[in-house]
Amino acid sequence: MKIIISPAKKMRENTDDFPVAGMPEFLEDTKLLMNALCSMTLPETKALWKCSDKLAESNYERLKTMDLERLATPAFIDYEGLQYQHMSPGVFTAEALDYISQHLYILSGFYGLLRPFDGVVPYRLEMQAKLSVNGAKDLYEFWGDRLYKSLTADSRTIINLASKEYSQCIEKYLTPDDRYITVEFGEWIQGKVRQKGTLAKMARGEMVRFLAENQIQEVEEMKKFQELGFSYSEECSNEATYVFLKESKDADL
């Protein structure tokens, strides 16, 4: 069973809490992307990143001194978004750390596919960025089916906790031999399931922690998840989508 999640924009350097176990599988491809970014001007990278002047300037300067193999931080603690805060990997037991090392994968526009203890450095490059490299019109074309093939090399059961921006680089290559389950976290509002971005990010992190702490090996065991007030909805779910609902103040009576 493989679990896929998205990265976060905000990152940090931390070489003290956990050791790096290895380097990313697609590091040579990452070097190509880094070189492409380094060849761009500041205005060009700002347009690519779609960020403020301040963020563009700091990330542009970071590019000029970037060393992909020095002062690397394990990927699962390098990202600082809501999902990772609620995952709380810093307080994982040894058993939970072992679980994520076997089952968890982070999809990345810059690194492709990351294991939790792969060494990474802070970067800015979202999967949907229109960066042309080696004749590929964008990052989806650049990575192609390689991330999917790597992910399914020894297991064809995938739990999708990633956003659509990232999960589509796996979904477009799925075959009938794959068991692919997307997990959604929403609220029943005016007759429909509505997913709110902030709450969904928090719940995805909580789900990873739940899976790791409980050593979940069978997908059906996920249905026991009840963090943040969510509970599994049999009525709204199917074989390809597990829906967890949180009671809303606006819920139908």
Side-chain angles (χ1 to χ4, degrees):
M1 184 173 77
K2 306 293 181 69
I3 305 160
I4 56 173
I5 61 175
S6 304
K9 291 181 182 179
K10 189 176 180 181
M11 301 181 71
R12 62 177 178 173
E13 291 181 336
N14 183 336
T15 58
D16 298 325
D17 291 349
F18 294 95
V20 167
M23 300 307 292
E25 177 183 356
F26 297 102
L27 189 61
E28 293 306 311
D29 296 285
T30 301
K31 291 177 180 178
L32 292 177
L33 296 176
M34 182 184 74
N35 291 335
L37 290 170
C38 287
S39 70
M40 299 169 68
T41 65
L42 175 57
E44 287 173 336
T45 55
K46 181 179 182 297
L48 179 74
W49 292 329
K50 298 180 180 179
C51 62
S52 67
D53 289 342
K54 183 178 180 180
L55 278 174
E57 289 169 5
S58 64
N59 281 281
Y60 191 72
E61 288 304 312
R62 176 186 286 165
L63 269 175
K64 300 304 180 183
T65 59
M66 184 175 285
D67 186 339
L68 296 174
E69 300 181 54
R70 183 174 177 272
L71 296 177
T73 301
F76 77 113
I77 61 169
D78 203 318
Y79 297 106
E80 286 194 292
L82 275 175
Q83 176 180 225
Y84 292 85
Q85 293 173 27
H86 280 262
M87 192 192 309
S88 303
V91 296
F92 273 15
T93 63
E95 290 77 14
L97 290 171
D98 183 61
Y99 180 92
I100 63 169
S101 73
Q102 295 181 49
H103 298 282
L104 186 66
Y105 291 78
I106 303 168
L107 299 170
S108 164
F110 191 56
Y111 283 103
L113 191 66
L114 291 166
R115 304 296 298 270
F117 290 94
D118 285 348
V120 301
V121 298
Y123 67 90
R124 188 179 184 92
L125 188 65
E126 297 177 55
M127 187 66 80
Q128 62 189 357
K130 301 295 184 181
L131 180 64
S132 299
V133 180
N134 279 10
K137 65 180 179 180
D138 56 24
L139 293 176
Y140 294 109
E141 189 172 301
F142 174 79
W143 291 115
D145 65 355
R146 291 179 295 154
L147 308 186
Y148 163 78
K149 287 182 176 179
S150 177
L151 186 69
T152 57
D154 58 1
S155 175
R156 306 196 78 103
T157 298
I158 304 169
I159 306 302
N160 173 30
L161 290 169
S163 65
K164 191 66 177 179
E165 174 187 350
Y166 288 92
S167 64
Q168 64 179 297
C169 69
I170 301 297
E171 291 172 348
K172 67 184 297 184
Y173 302 106
L174 293 172
T175 74
D177 293 328
D178 299 308
R179 186 180 186 187
Y180 186 81
I181 300 173
T182 295
V183 182
E184 295 183 358
F185 300 96
E187 296 176 279
W188 187 260
I189 301 175
Q190 297 179 347
K192 294 182 179 180
V193 176
R194 301 186 184 276
Q195 184 166 272
K196 298 178 180 179
T198 297
L199 193 57
K201 290 177 182 178
M202 295 164 61
R204 287 168 183 157
E206 295 279 350
M207 176 61 86
V208 172
R209 182 151 56 88
F210 169 80
L211 296 172
E213 289 179 344
N214 292 280
Q215 302 286 296
I216 301 300
Q217 301 294 334
E218 301 294 333
V219 293
E220 287 75 14
E221 293 295 305
M222 294 171 55
K223 298 176 182 180
K224 297 178 182 178
F225 175 83
Q226 292 188 324
E227 304 302 320
L228 300 178
F230 284 100
S231 58
Y232 177 74
S233 172
E234 189 77 42
E235 181 180 1
C236 297
S237 301
N238 55 48
E239 290 185 359
T241 307
Y242 283 10
V243 178
F244 293 81
L245 296 181
K246 181 181 179 68
E247 184 177 351
S248 169
K249 294 178 181 179
D250 299 320
D252 296 336
L253 297 177

